[in-house]
């Protein structure tokens, strides 16, 4: 059922300007915005995907990936169709970009929470496509879920300050894709200016929300040493050296099927650059069994969270989110939702 959207301005001649993402689409009566899920009906802007879940599955939180929030917990993961980017390498293109009609199961916010309870999920994840474009659905679900369940976003970060304010009160954690530099965003994602993504990350980081960053490394596109250094330095200076960063392996898909998967050496080089430049928590993504899937204490180097794939095998963490070996306080949150059996005590 379409609902009036949260953030827009009425303009002349029944046009509206959407304020949810930095595109700030000017939409004439009867038309939709760039994301194709917001429509101007008689001078009001409506979300066409409210309560229409195109996906609702139970995932380990590690799959998002979120490694520093409630390790070992499970999240009911929902999405609608639509996206505000046009990434050539999208892994979920059938529901983000390459779809014809609004579709999905009727799953209003209260039903999402019921489903989370039915499957004994500790939290709810807004993911797979870009949750910013289904902001009102996510916001209302978060309000109903909190404080009994946590709420996490997996996002491209292309959102306005107004959207950050709208979701922040009930958002516990977010993973944002930092995909590359200006040229990369322009050529491969249809983003004319990446600055708003950086601004949104800084705005989120200033609030009480755990932020993790993912960088999908694509051979020949965003894998040069200089670029990786630049990205790492930006994260360190603007978000802090204890921000968890995931360098993920690219798999050929959508409009980038001609590329090869990322060589392991490239990922390991990126991990080494990030560690050498001072980041504490750097992970290897999409390489099951890699040593860098686990979390180590930045002070004593002992294993804190042992992972294998998306599964947590061991937690060497004391209550208060401290290293179980040396007691250092770590940037890991969501203590209330960590399954008790995993705690050292
Ligand atoms: S959310 Fe959609 S309609 Fe709104 S500005 Fe972004 S792309 Fe345009």
């Amino acid at each position: 059922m379409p609902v009036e959207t949260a953030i827009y301005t009425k303009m002349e001649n029944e046009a509206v300007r959407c304020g949810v993402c930095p595109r700030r689409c000017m939409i004439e009566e009867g038309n939709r915005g760039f994301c194709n899920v917001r429509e101007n009906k008689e001078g009001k802007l409506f979300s066409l995907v409210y309560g229409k879940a195109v996906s609702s599955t139970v995932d380990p939180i590690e799959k998002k990936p979120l490694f520093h929030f409630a390790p070992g917990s499970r999240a009911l993961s929902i999405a609608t169709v639509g996206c505000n980017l046009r990434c050539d390498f999208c892994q979920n293109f059938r529901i983000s970009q390459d779809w014809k009609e609004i579709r999905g199961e009727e799953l209003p916010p209260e039903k999402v929470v019921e489903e989370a309870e039915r499957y004994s999920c500790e939290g709810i994840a807004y993911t797979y496509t870009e949750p910013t474009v289904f902001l009102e659905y996510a916001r209302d679900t978060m309000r109903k879920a909190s404080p009994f369940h946590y709420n996490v976003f997996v996002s491209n970060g292309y959102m306005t300050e107004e959207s950050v304010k709208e979701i922040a009160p009930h958002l516990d954690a977010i993973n944002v894709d930092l995909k590359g530099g200006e040229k990369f965003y322009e050529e491969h994602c249809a983003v004319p200016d990446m600055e708003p993504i950086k601004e949104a990350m800084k705005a989120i980081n200033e609030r009480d929300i755990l932020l993790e960053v993912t960088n999908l490394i694509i051979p020949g596109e965003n894998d040069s040493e200089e670029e990786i250094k630049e990205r790492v330095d930006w994260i360190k200076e603007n978000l802090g050296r204890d921000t968890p960063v995931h360098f993920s392996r690219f798999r050929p898909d959508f409009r980038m099927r001609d590329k090869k998967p990322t060589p392991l050496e490239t990922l390991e080089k990126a991990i080494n650059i990030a560690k050498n430049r001072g980041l504490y928590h750097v992970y290897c993504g999409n390489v099951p069994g890699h040593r860098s899937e686990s979390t180590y204490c930045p002070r004593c180097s002992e294993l804190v969270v042992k992972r294998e794939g998306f599964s947590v095998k061991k937690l060497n963490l004391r209550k208060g989110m401290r290293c179980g070996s040396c007691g250092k306080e770590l940037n890991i949150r969501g203590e209330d939702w960590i399954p008790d059996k995993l705690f050292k005590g």
Side-chain angles (χ1 to χ4, degrees):
M1 181 194 57
V3 300
E4 195 171 351
T5 66
I7 307 160
Y8 77 96
T9 313
K10 294 188 178 184
M11 311 299 282
E12 282 179 7
N13 300 323
E14 294 207 319
V16 297
R17 189 182 287 285
C18 178
V20 165
C21 90
R23 290 195 191 277
R24 297 196 184 271
C25 298
M26 177 72 115
I27 310 169
E28 304 289 331
E29 206 283 316
N31 289 346
R32 294 184 188 177
F34 181 92
C35 57
N36 221 4
V37 297
R38 292 172 176 266
E39 187 170 303
N40 180 346
K41 294 177 196 260
E42 298 173 357
K44 289 182 178 176
L45 188 60
F46 287 86
S47 164
L48 305 178
V49 290
Y50 190 97
K52 281 210 166 290
V54 75
S55 172
S56 67
T57 48
V58 178
D59 283 336
I61 187 92
E62 285 73 22
K63 195 176 172 187
K64 302 298 117 196
L66 280 166
F67 279 12
H68 284 231
F69 189 82
S73 68
R74 301 186 322 152
L76 185 78
S77 303
I78 63 163
T80 72
V81 293
C83 192
N84 53 353
L85 264 57
R86 293 289 180 269
C87 301
D88 291 333
F89 45 90
C90 183
Q91 305 271 319
N92 293 319
F93 64 95
R94 290 192 200 288
I95 52 174
S96 62
Q97 301 179 43
D98 194 17
W99 51 273
K100 303 252 177 311
E101 285 173 9
I102 305 275
R103 57 190 162 89
E105 175 195 356
E106 285 296 335
L107 205 65
E110 58 276 11
K111 278 260 159 52
V112 177
V113 178
E114 276 173 37
E115 289 286 280
E117 275 158 18
R118 189 153 73 95
Y119 292 109
S120 306
C121 293
E122 288 84 358
I124 298 172
Y126 308 85
T127 178
Y128 300 133
T129 56
E130 175 49 43
T132 306
V133 306
F134 62 89
L135 179 122
E136 298 78 11
Y137 179 31
R139 176 204 60 196
D140 292 354
T141 306
M142 289 197 284
R143 283 178 181 162
K144 289 201 184 309
S146 184
F148 311 106
H149 300 276
Y150 62 70
N151 293 297
V152 301
F153 263 39
V154 181
S155 171
N156 58 35
Y158 199 49
M159 60 177 82
T160 57
E161 175 68 24
E162 300 98 289
S163 290
V164 173
K165 278 190 190 142
E166 193 77 11
I167 58 171
H170 298 297
L171 187 65
D172 296 289
I174 184 168
N175 185 309
V176 176
D177 267 343
L178 185 59
K179 296 171 193 279
E182 280 295 346
K183 193 163 159 274
F184 181 91
Y185 271 102
E186 209 178 317
E187 282 180 6
H188 296 300
C189 310
V191 170
D193 175 14
M194 70 177 287
E195 209 45 42
I197 296 171
K198 291 179 168 175
E199 288 307 311
M201 291 169 93
K202 287 196 273 183
I204 288 164
N205 199 47
E206 282 163 10
R207 293 171 160 84
D208 187 25
I209 299 168
L210 175 85
L211 170 66
E212 302 196 19
V213 179
T214 293
N215 180 205
L216 183 77
I217 305 265
I218 305 179
E221 300 294 343
N222 61 359
D223 61 345
S224 77
E225 208 169 310
E226 295 69 46
E227 274 184 85
I228 290 168
K229 282 180 183 166
E230 207 177 296
R231 238 169 276 149
V232 163
D233 289 348
W234 184 86
I235 292 169
K236 190 172 123 186
E237 280 156 31
N238 294 279
L239 308 176
R241 62 197 304 182
D242 61 356
T243 305
V245 175
H246 306 255
F247 289 111
S248 283
R249 171 178 264 172
F250 159 82
R251 294 195 194 101
D253 213 334
F254 199 29
R255 290 187 292 264
M256 273 204 182
R257 286 182 211 273
D258 55 328
K259 291 258 166 208
K260 295 254 183 304
T262 322
L264 185 56
E265 310 85 77
T266 309
L267 293 166
E268 290 181 335
K269 197 169 87 182
I271 291 168
N272 286 336
I273 290 173
K275 286 185 174 168
N276 289 339
R277 294 177 95 78
L279 292 190
Y280 288 151
H281 301 291
V282 191
Y283 298 103
C284 192
N286 295 340
V287 186
H290 196 275
R291 184 184 184 272
S292 293
E293 277 180 335
S294 292
T295 303
Y296 300 86
C297 174
R299 184 161 72 189
C300 71
S301 304
E302 286 298 318
L303 188 69
V304 175
V305 186
K306 181 174 170 50
R307 297 184 189 84
E308 279 176 23
F310 300 132
S311 149
V312 172
K313 295 293 178 193
K314 195 178 150 205
L315 206 61
N316 177 27
L317 200 59
R318 289 184 208 158
K319 296 270 182 195
M321 305 311 241
R322 292 176 178 278
C323 169
S325 298
C326 74
K328 179 178 168 51
E329 196 176 331
L330 299 165
N331 183 26
I332 302 181
R333 317 220 196 137
E335 183 167 359
D336 291 348
W337 289 290
I338 297 178
D340 272 349
K341 60 178 190 236
L342 289 172
F343 263 118
K344 188 173 179 174

